[in-house]
């Protein structure tokens, strides 16, 4: 990557961070769905060690932390998100056992077989579903769980407009049975799979984007990259409204049953 590109890339990352810092979540989800996914996990105690990978500002982590007694480390590569994460833990009095750290999901700072649970909502796509499942497995104890949410196709065929959008954004998006087969192939027992209800997109994600877009556009008025980024956010909302019967987010919960 040339220096010039790097500067542009960093600038864009700052914009993205700035935009999403004004939102409680950085992807579709809800406290109810986080707790539903957690209800399939039965190995946790106050000695457990949990990682929340691609935690963002920690919307889901703070929910988890109020229901799990163990130690939780949230990891994200954007320092701005981690600052907000750690501010949230202090506000909730959770700082003794919940910590946000800056790091990359392709080089996790954990020991082999150290984790009881790997959580990751709306983030595994950054490394790729299969690669994440395969590479993160070694950090889990035998009997440990992984719970990830990931975009999925609901049908084998779909209109070209939405197909093209996803092929450009994330070609690894797949149907639910194919994703479950990948979980099995990566050496886990698929325990549960459920589709996130529509309100995870509309109420808990898109509705929060509207005020964030307003703040953002005021701050970066006249900035071309910011305007393009903002436009992309609106396209995402529009496409979901139009094509939500063809895709959505799915939670996958799986267990590592052998070393
Ligand atoms: N789990 C949060 C955030 C989801 S958005 C929620 O559901 O609200 C995806 C997150 O992954 C962002 O916070 C982004 O900064 C983070 N991310 C992207 N690439 C990453 C990488 N390589 N390593 C760690 N975090 C990454």
């Amino acid at each position: 990557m040339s220096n010039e590109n790097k500067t542009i890339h960093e600038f864009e990352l700052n914009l993205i961070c700035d935009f999403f810092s004004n939102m409680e979540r950085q992807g579709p989800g809800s406290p109810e769905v986080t707790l539903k996914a957690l209800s399939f996990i039965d190995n946790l105690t106050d000695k457990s060690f949990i990682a929340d990978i691609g935690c963002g500002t920690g919307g889901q982590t703070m929910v988890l932390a109020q229901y799990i007694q163990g130690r939780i480390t949230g990891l994200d590569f954007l320092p701005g998100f981690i600052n907000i994460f750690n501010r949230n833990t202090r506000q909730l009095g959770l700082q003794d056992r919940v910590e946000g750290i800056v790091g990359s999901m392709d080089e996790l700072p954990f020991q082999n077989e150290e984790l009881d649970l790997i959580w990751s909502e709306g983030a595994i796509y950054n490394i790729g579903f299969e690669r994440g499942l395969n590479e993160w497995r070694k950090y889990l104890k035998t009997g440990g769980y992984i719970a990830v949410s990931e975009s999925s196709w609901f049908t084998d065929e779909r209109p070209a407009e939405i197909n093209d959008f996803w092929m450009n954004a994330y070609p690894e998006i797949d149907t639910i049975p194919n994703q479950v087969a990948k979980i099995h192939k990566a050496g886990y027992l698929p325990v549960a799979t459920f589709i996130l209800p529509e309100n995870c997109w509309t109420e808990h994600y898109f509705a929060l984007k509207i005020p964030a877009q307003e703040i953002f556009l005021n701050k970066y008025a006249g900035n071309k990259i910011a305007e393009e980024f903002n436009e992309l956010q609106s396209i995402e909302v529009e496409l979901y409204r139009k094509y939500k019967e063809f895709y959505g987010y799915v939670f996958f919960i799986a267990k590592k049953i052998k070393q």
Side-chain angles (χ1 to χ4, degrees), residues 25-27 54-56 60 76-78 81 103-105 121-123 126:
R25 312 190 51 96
Q26 288 77 44
C55 59
Q60 70 294 322
D76 203 282
F77 80 155
L78 289 182
F81 286 170
S104 184
M105 59 175 74
E121 290 196 34
N126 288 296

Side-chain angles (χ1 to χ4, degrees), residues 23-96:
M23 293 174 65
E24 193 181 313
R25 312 190 51 96
Q26 288 77 44
S30 73
E32 292 76 22
V33 157
T34 296
L35 293 180
K36 182 170 178 165
L38 184 62
S39 75
F40 294 103
I41 291 159
D42 59 14
N43 66 332
L44 299 174
T45 69
D46 57 355
K47 305 274 180 306
S48 298
F49 185 23
I50 295 105
D52 184 354
I53 302 176
C55 59
T57 58
Q60 70 294 322
T61 332
M62 303 306 140
V63 174
L64 285 176
Q66 291 176 59
Y67 287 83
I68 294 177
Q69 293 314 311
R71 190 155 59 94
I72 308 181
T73 295
L75 177 139
D76 203 282
F77 80 155
L78 289 182
F81 286 170
I82 291 299
N83 286 341
I84 297 173
F85 182 107
N86 284 324
R87 196 179 67 205
N88 290 340
T89 61
R90 286 192 297 274
Q91 270 166 8
L92 294 166
L94 293 165
Q95 68 276 16
D96 292 343

Side-chain angles (χ1 to χ4, degrees), residues 122-193:
I124 196 172
Y125 72 90
N126 288 296
I127 188 171
F129 188 68
E130 240 182 326
R131 185 177 161 205
L133 288 170
N134 283 311
E135 288 189 10
W136 298 349
R137 187 178 180 278
K138 62 175 176 287
Y139 302 109
L140 278 180
K141 291 175 188 159
T142 303
Y145 283 82
I146 183 163
V148 298
S149 66
E150 168 78 327
S151 46
S152 308
W153 291 127
F154 295 163
T155 57
D156 286 328
E157 280 164 25
R158 47 261 155 192
E161 187 182 20
I162 193 62
N163 196 63
D164 293 351
F165 172 82
W166 277 103
M167 285 308 112
N168 181 41
Y170 182 52
E172 208 186 322
I173 182 174
D174 213 337
T175 58
I176 298 170
N178 286 348
Q179 284 166 320
V180 172
K182 287 174 191 169
I183 291 171
H184 174 74
K185 193 169 147 228
Y188 302 92
L189 172 65
V191 170
T193 298

